[in-house]
Amino acid sequence: MTDKKRDDVTGTETTGHSWDGIEELNTPLPRWWLWTFYATIVWGVIYTILYPAWPLVSSASAGVLGWSTRGEVAEQIAEAEAANADLRAQLIETELAAVSDDPALQNYAVQHGAAVFRTNCSQCHGQGAAGAKGYPNLLDDAWLWGGQIEEIAYTVRHGIRNEDDPDARYSQMPAYGEIFSDEEIALIVAHVQTLDDGADPMAGEAGELWANNCAACHGEDGKGNHDLGAPNLTDAIWLYGSSEEDLTYTIVNARFGVMPAWGAFLTEDEVRAVSAYVHQLGGGEDAPAAE
Amino acid sequence: MSDQGTETPQLYAPREPIFPRRVSGTFRRLKWWIMGVTLAIYYLTPWLRWDRGPNLPDQAVLVDLANRRFYFFWIEIWPHEFYFVAGLLVMAGLGLFLFTAALGRVWCGYACPQTVWTDLFILVERWVEGDRNARLRLHKAPWSARKWRLRLTKWTIWVAIGLATGGAWVFYFTDAPTLLRDLLTFSAHPVAYTSIGILTFTTVVFGGFMREQVCIYMCPWPRIQGAMMDEDTLTVAYREWRGEPRGKGLRRRHEAEEAAHAAEDAAVTRAAGPQLGGRSPALKMPGIPDTASGAVHHDGPGDCIDCNACVNVCPMGIDIRDGQQMACITCALCIDACDEVMEKVGKERGLIDYIALSDAPREREGQPPRSLWVHVLRARNILYTVLWAGIGLGLVFLLFIRSEIDITVGAVRNPTYVTLSDGTIRNAYDLRILNKNGDDRVYLVSPGFGANLDLEIEGHPGSTIPVPANTTGITRIYFTAPPDSPAANADRTEFRIWVEDFQSGERAFVDTTFNGKGQ
């Protein structure tokens, strides 16, 4: 003990290091702490061998376990899909109109469909499915091609006015700019603007024009026709706007929306799921009672 | 030390094994009781049953992480009520402050799991290998068949205790009887086995091998507790003014004679100074003049016969006569040990005792210490008590007023409103209803009086929503305003959504906004 330097105040041994007369006390660490430290170093070396770690020129070392975050995500997706395999099969087998009778299946279809919608549909119809000018709002109760789930599924599967699918929905409206005179167009625009207030389409000054040109598709009552994709002109919903300017443009040029045939891009369960999702957004119509 | 005579100091110190001797007395009895009660609470709690109906677990205390529920007897806490747990943690913290300010490190000495399990492990060690001297001999003995047998027996029992400890832990997180059966048939979830494995390992290593090292090096608490003690805190201390000069037999008498002439002899209470192994150096007691300054004059020898009983029983391996030190967990076993000796030699008990350091100068002058209540009932302790009780009462109050119906309304704002064919304006809301009951319930939804809004529920006709037992029901509901009604034309209309539990008749409401066309 005599060789050791001791600090006078605390009586603690010093390391012998001195800076400007300030000496360093030696308060030894426990040896197990040292060994724990060595163990972490060993652990670290093993870890860098097993897992991706060392930065190389174009990527990092892969690690002998072949683990990657991307692989882990793929694994988790596969796990989730395996977990839902039964529900997916059930969704494909079930009559679309009957999906909502089974709460578990409906829940799966809606959640699944919501994901499909956000990925594929929201670009035109919006994240909230409220659409935009020329892109139908899917939340309301007005449907060009019908709001029953089977009709929605048909629209999704085959699309609208596309060249890819022979069964695509097609609506035809002539560009009346080439048919009507300017006076007739002004007359019919004014006429259409009165329809959502309850006017009779077949009556009035433009009644004859309506009967000869519009009633074939939009109906004598003006309520449109789902089979032809002709919109209801008596309701409060206007896809392209109801101002004089908007209506004039629509009648003169005719305007059409297009939609891809999603049956070519989506799997059967995705088509069904997204139909179920759209159907429960607030405007879905019930299927007619079975006969 | 091993490096005696060399120039290089030892930077890493091997652990010096400690062999605490058995002791009996008031505090040892108290510690046995506390150990028994705390271990019984720990091991038995998961097995208590509490009937909550057919759809809820019947385990009295259950942390159901998978379903995010916490059950405590009649109280059920859902994640959004986590502030109850936060409140309990704040109370635990303040409680610790209070006890530390009043009684020093009582938590460390009596109730800390590290202390309780170490005590239990030492009990096993003593039972298998004998008391201090036998263990010391065994420690120094070469590895023989007998040593192997004793060591293996001890380790086996330790591992069994560790297994029971880790095993009991997992029972808090799932139904205990089911899990026990699954564990025994090797069909339980791997997480259960991993948790048991890790806890078994840490229990055995911390309680069996690291013991006081955990308190000295790993635990942040001793550092914090030091800041919460003051000179009025009752803590375990040595009455050096009574004990010094210590000594035994002829040497003792000789020293006593010397003492009057050489006061500095008494100043150095322990010539060896702090030991390697990291125990902190002895600090002088605040407010106590150094004996070296000549404040103490004894006519004869002090009461301490230097029998080292206090050192031998210490589970931390320190000498309390060095004064206050960080390694002391105030387990009070040295008090028992010293009292036993004092009685044998016919001296007054309490040479080592719970003392408030502010009393030291008075006692040094021969006056009696002040009343216990003077030390306990001081502003700091009263403040802690008031805060602690205030939060406790607040939590109890919240528990009683908390609504049995919990609802939240998320207004759908993409888009803000939808125009329907007939011009009706519709707003959508996601209504969450928490059914905390053990049975399925039906809830009636309605707009507040005077709102002039109509309710529709997605997927159901009518205005009722069924919610299964113990689940959160999320339902899309719509409120509509007829065309050209005030709400349809206004920018915003405030209204109230009421939800009523059909069965209990309890009601709850949420105020929200209806968006119109803003004309």
Side-chain angles (χ1 to χ4, degrees):
Chain A
M1 294 301 238
T2 48
D3 290 344
K4 290 189 179 170
K5 289 192 165 186
R6 284 195 177 277
D7 175 55
D8 293 335
V9 181
T10 60
T12 306
E13 185 193 335
T14 70
T15 58
H17 304 156
S18 171
W19 294 272
D20 296 339
I22 299 169
E23 285 184 78
E24 184 183 36
L25 298 188
N26 178 22
T27 317
L29 275 171
R31 183 151 286 150
W32 61 260
W33 188 94
L34 182 70
W35 286 110
T36 309
F37 179 58
Y38 288 154
T40 60
I41 294 174
V42 173
W43 170 275
V45 170
I46 294 171
Y47 187 92
T48 61
I49 294 169
L50 294 181
Y51 287 95
W54 299 107
L56 303 175
V57 177
S58 55
S59 66
S61 60
V64 296
L65 290 186
W67 182 91
S68 72
T69 47
R70 188 175 284 264
E72 193 169 68
V73 170
E75 220 168 82
Q76 284 168 357
I77 292 174
E79 251 172 52
E81 293 201 340
N84 285 328
D86 287 348
L87 281 168
R88 189 162 49 244
Q90 200 188 336
L91 178 62
I92 291 169
E93 284 160 17
T94 308
E95 190 90 8
L96 269 173
V99 167
S100 61
D101 296 343
D102 178 346
L105 183 61
Q106 169 76 355
N107 182 47
Y108 168 72
V110 169
Q111 304 299 332
H112 184 20
V116 174
F117 186 91
R118 283 192 293 269
T119 312
N120 300 290
C121 315
S122 61
Q123 289 85 345
C124 294
H125 291 285
Q127 284 283 335
K133 190 175 178 182
Y135 300 97
N137 182 336
L138 303 177
L139 304 171
D140 62 28
D141 56 347
W143 298 90
L144 289 174
W145 299 97
Q148 293 169 26
I149 191 165
E150 293 285 359
E151 295 169 326
I152 295 171
Y154 187 96
T155 308
V156 170
R157 199 185 308 278
H158 301 293
I160 294 166
R161 303 180 67 82
N162 63 63
E163 305 292 327
D164 311 317
D165 192 322
D167 293 328
R169 297 199 188 267
Y170 244 93
S171 58
Q172 293 282 14
M173 173 161 151
Y176 281 96
E178 295 161 14
I179 301 167
F180 285 177
S181 68
D182 287 356
E183 291 73 26
E184 284 172 324
I185 285 175
L187 205 60
I188 201 75
V189 165
H191 185 65
V192 168
Q193 278 182 316
T194 64
L195 296 183
D196 59 358
D197 296 329
D200 179 1
M202 303 292 282
E205 224 183 326
E208 202 185 327
L209 273 178
W210 177 274
N212 294 337
N213 298 285
C214 314
C217 296
H218 291 288
E220 294 190 357
D221 56 1
K223 291 191 186 303
N225 186 335
H226 285 173
D227 294 334
L228 303 170
N232 181 347
L233 301 181
T234 64
D235 66 14
I237 294 164
W238 298 90
L239 186 53
Y240 293 98
S242 62
S243 70
E244 191 184 334
E245 197 187 342
D246 285 333
L247 279 175
T248 306
Y249 187 95
T250 305
I251 292 168
V252 168
N253 300 297
R255 305 203 239 206
F256 303 107
V258 293
M259 172 165 153
W262 287 103
F265 306 106
L266 302 178
T267 58
E268 177 62 23
D269 60 292
E270 285 172 333
V271 168
R272 285 166 164 263
V274 81
S275 305
Y277 171 72
V278 169
H279 185 259
Q280 58 84 57
L281 284 175
E285 294 167 358
D286 289 336
E291 288 167 21
Chain B
M1 298 299 115
S2 58
D3 60 340
Q4 194 164 5
T6 62
E7 283 295 325
T8 324
Q10 194 89 332
L11 293 178
Y12 296 98
R15 175 178 180 242
E16 288 174 64
I18 298 169
F19 305 92
R21 183 172 66 78
R22 185 183 146 79
V23 65
S24 56
T26 318
F27 293 104
R28 181 64 266 185
R29 257 197 313 281
L30 179 62
K31 277 169 72 76
W32 287 137
W33 272 105
I34 290 174
M35 183 206 274
V37 170
T38 50
L39 288 177
I41 290 174
Y42 176 73
Y43 287 113
L44 297 181
T45 303
W47 298 94
L48 298 177
R49 301 288 106 182
W50 190 269
D51 184 28
R52 295 188 183 86
N55 293 303
L56 293 175
D58 66 347
Q59 187 158 322
V61 178
L62 178 67
V63 183
D64 188 350
L65 290 177
N67 298 308
R68 289 158 185 82
R69 300 279 185 277
F70 172 55
Y71 301 96
F72 186 83
F73 295 93
W74 65 96
I75 303 170
E76 181 184 346
I77 291 182
W78 288 40
H80 68 290
E81 294 166 319
F82 199 73
Y83 54 83
F84 280 111
V85 179
L88 284 176
L89 288 174
V90 173
M91 281 180 74
L94 283 172
L96 219 41
F97 294 174
L98 171 63
F99 275 98
T100 307
L103 300 168
R105 294 175 63 181
V106 275
W107 165 258
C108 300
Y110 296 87
C112 174
Q114 175 65 24
T115 298
V116 171
W117 262 272
T118 301
D119 225 11
L120 182 63
F121 275 46
I122 292 176
L123 180 69
V124 171
E125 192 168 77
R126 187 180 298 136
W127 181 61
V128 175
E129 296 178 348
D131 206 1
R132 174 180 161 85
N133 291 339
R135 296 212 299 280
L136 262 169
R137 272 198 305 278
L138 188 68
H139 176 69
K140 286 177 185 151
W143 284 93
S144 61
R146 179 177 169 274
K147 185 167 178 173
W148 272 113
R149 181 173 57 78
L150 291 176
R151 282 284 145 95
L152 286 174
T153 311
K154 178 176 81 172
W155 291 338
T156 308
I157 299 173
W158 281 0
V159 169
I161 294 173
L163 271 171
T165 307
W169 177 258
V170 296
F171 290 146
Y172 282 88
F173 297 90
T174 186
D175 185 55
T178 316
L179 181 61
L180 181 64
R181 196 190 58 222
D182 289 350
L183 284 171
L184 295 177
T185 56
F186 296 101
S187 55
H189 195 277
V191 167
Y193 293 109
T194 314
S195 304
I196 294 174
I198 291 172
L199 283 165
T200 304
F201 176 78
T202 52
T203 306
V204 172
V205 169
F206 288 1
F209 297 99
M210 294 189 67
R211 293 183 180 174
E212 82 290 346
Q213 304 268 303
V214 173
C215 307
I216 298 171
Y217 295 103
M218 293 167 69
C219 183
W221 198 224
R223 282 93 180 152
I224 302 169
Q225 297 211 50
M228 281 180 296
M229 292 171 65
D230 56 34
E231 66 278 7
D232 275 316
T233 302
L234 290 168
T235 187
V236 176
Y238 165 63
R239 287 193 162 99
E240 50 151 332
W241 51 91
R242 209 187 111 188
E244 301 297 328
R246 68 181 81 154
K248 42 191 159 192
L250 287 170
R251 180 171 145 255
R252 188 180 181 216
R253 279 196 289 278
H254 173 70
E255 268 185 21
E257 286 159 13
E258 295 282 303
H261 308 292
E264 63 266 26
D265 276 5
V268 184
T269 54
R270 202 167 144 82
Q275 300 288 303
L276 281 179
R279 278 156 216 132
S280 60
L283 295 177
K284 296 281 180 274
M285 291 184 187
I288 299 170
D290 273 359
T291 34
S293 67
V296 179
H297 292 288
H298 279 289
D299 296 332
D303 282 352
C304 177
I305 59 165
D306 208 8
C307 64
N308 265 342
C310 54
V311 177
N312 292 343
V313 300
C314 182
M316 303 298 289
I318 57 170
D319 186 341
I320 191 66
R321 295 170 299 175
D322 289 343
Q324 295 295 297
Q325 48 208 295
M326 197 197 72
C328 176
I329 58 169
T330 71
C331 65
L333 291 183
C334 50
I335 300 182
D336 281 346
C338 190
D339 280 350
E340 206 174 34
V341 173
M342 287 297 112
E343 260 177 26
K344 271 187 203 152
V345 299
K347 304 269 186 189
E348 199 191 334
R349 292 161 66 108
L351 180 56
I352 300 172
D353 203 353
Y354 271 105
I355 300 167
L357 300 185
S358 61
D359 276 343
R362 297 167 56 91
E363 289 199 27
R364 206 175 280 277
E365 284 160 21
Q367 296 168 355
R370 282 175 296 166
S371 156
L372 180 73
W373 297 110
V374 175
H375 300 301
V376 173
L377 293 176
R378 59 188 203 274
R380 181 181 191 167
N381 293 348
I382 293 169
L383 178 69
Y384 286 144
T385 312
V386 167
L387 286 175
W388 184 86
I391 291 175
L393 288 173
L395 287 178
V396 171
F397 178 69
L398 282 176
L399 203 60
F400 276 108
I401 64 155
R402 73 174 179 163
S403 163
E404 284 301 311
I405 301 186
D406 252 311
I407 56 172
T408 54
V409 167
V412 178
R413 291 290 182 249
N414 180 14
T416 49
Y417 67 88
V418 172
T419 308
L420 299 183
S421 312
D422 62 355
T424 298
I425 300 300
R426 189 183 74 190
N427 278 206
Y429 303 85
D430 283 329
L431 174 64
R432 257 166 219 270
I433 304 176
L434 278 61
N435 180 5
K436 297 189 214 167
N437 301 293
D439 51 354
D440 299 352
R441 293 284 170 104
V442 175
Y443 296 89
L444 175 70
V445 186
S446 57
F449 182 74
N452 273 326
L453 296 169
D454 297 317
L455 169 77
E456 283 171 45
I457 294 173
E458 175 63 43
H460 312 274
S463 53
T464 58
I465 298 174
V467 182
N470 196 33
T471 54
T472 303
I474 306 173
T475 314
R476 174 69 58 93
I477 63 172
Y478 305 108
F479 281 98
T480 56
D484 293 321
S485 64
N489 289 340
D491 183 19
R492 295 156 69 85
T493 308
E494 306 296 330
F495 76 111
R496 182 165 284 187
I497 298 177
W498 281 97
V499 173
E500 182 179 339
D501 182 340
F502 257 147
Q503 193 170 323
S504 66
E506 281 176 296
R507 281 153 67 86
F509 67 85
V510 170
D511 286 324
T512 184
T513 307
F514 184 88
N515 287 300
K517 290 192 286 188
Q519 284 167 347

